[in-house]
Amino acid sequence: MVLDEFLSPADGDVLGLERTPSERRRHKRIPLLCLGRFMRADKTEHTCKLINVSVGGAALQTEETLELGEHIIAYFDEIGRIDGPVVRFIDGGFAIQIQATQHRREKLAAQLTWLINRRALGIPEARRHDRMSTENVASSMTLSDGRQVACRMLDISISGASVATAARPPLGSEILVGRLRAKVMRHHDQGIGVQFLDIQNPSALRRHFG
């Protein structure tokens, strides 16, 4: 399955866009149920559930009441970050039109292809890079406003880390974990998950956090 598989008619009902019949439903959507969070235009964050997604749009369930046209940023472990304006309200949620570069759309299509094939083959989920335990090594974070807060490293890989902290910086914000530049990708019970903005050297990570 390749990118063209996601360019067949299927998004019109979700996105509710005013298009000609030949333009409507350009992207094939797949059902994908997973929990995530989204940030509204006012920077508040809320929980949500992804219902279905394509390279052109996504349907999300939430208890929040949004505005038509409001730009939201959402993050899901399965597919990462998606963002775009609210184009339609659905029962118990809303649909967005995903705004992305062609490169990002191709990457998303590849992720969706992998998810479909993984489920068909019964392959368990795995992280992109192996994580190593850091045994709760103490460290510090510098938030986007310059504040420094204490944290503990739960686990780490060359591309990201799970960090125990009382702070909850906004999803998508850039911070420093120790001296490493990172982006906040998710919140969890103990703290946050971050993605490093630069792929790290494994030996350097072990020296710094091991």
Side-chain angles (χ1 to χ4, degrees):
M1 188 176 293
V2 294
L3 179 60
D4 287 345
E5 292 291 330
F6 294 93
L7 299 179
S8 59
D11 269 348
D13 290 342
V14 171
L15 298 181
L17 302 179
E18 293 298 327
R19 294 174 178 166
T20 64
S22 63
E23 291 175 320
R24 294 173 57 198
R25 298 187 172 187
R26 289 191 307 115
H27 306 302
K28 183 177 181 180
R29 51 188 161 93
I30 64 169
L32 181 62
L33 301 180
C34 57
L35 299 177
R37 297 183 68 85
F38 70 94
M39 182 170 64
R40 300 190 60 179
D42 62 5
K43 306 301 183 183
T44 57
E45 297 177 20
H46 310 275
T47 58
C48 64
K49 179 189 291 185
L50 183 65
I51 304 302
N52 57 56
V53 62
S54 76
V55 296
L60 292 73
Q61 283 187 341
T62 181
E63 296 180 354
E64 290 297 308
T65 301
L66 287 83
E67 300 290 335
L68 194 66
E70 180 178 354
H71 191 98
I72 67 110
I73 300 171
Y75 178 80
F76 304 93
D77 282 342
E78 295 272 17
I79 61 172
R81 168 180 163 151
I82 57 174
D83 66 274
V86 176
V87 294
R88 187 183 177 187
F89 299 116
I90 60 175
D91 185 24
F94 61 95
I96 68 168
Q97 182 178 17
I98 295 176
Q99 294 183 339
T101 63
Q102 181 64 23
H103 174 72
R104 174 56 183 142
R105 289 182 189 278
E106 291 174 355
K107 182 177 179 181
L108 180 56
Q111 289 174 300
L112 297 180
T113 300
W114 162 242
L115 288 171
I116 292 172
N117 292 338
R118 190 190 74 195
R119 291 176 176 181
L121 296 173
I123 302 173
E125 182 180 0
R127 293 181 185 269
R128 282 193 306 146
H129 298 111
D130 291 338
R131 297 255 172 155
M132 60 181 185
S133 173
T134 55
E135 298 182 353
N136 289 318
V137 171
S139 186
S140 65
M141 296 190 310
T142 304
L143 306 183
S144 56
D145 61 6
R147 288 183 297 130
Q148 285 196 332
V149 296
C151 65
R152 291 178 293 109
M153 308 302 296
L154 298 177
D155 61 51
I156 195 167
S157 77
I158 61 175
S159 61
S162 180
V163 184
T165 176
R168 292 294 186 277
L171 297 180
S173 63
E174 294 187 10
I175 64 174
L176 290 176
V177 179
R179 296 188 299 273
L180 304 179
R181 298 187 308 133
K183 178 181 290 187
V184 180
M185 302 303 291
R186 65 187 180 94
H187 295 165
H188 54 71
D189 290 343
Q190 292 180 272
I192 61 174
V194 304
Q195 176 183 316
F196 295 135
L197 297 184
D198 305 294
I199 296 296
Q200 303 300 316
N201 182 295
S203 298
L205 287 179
R206 290 189 177 88
R207 288 196 301 269
H208 192 68
F209 295 110

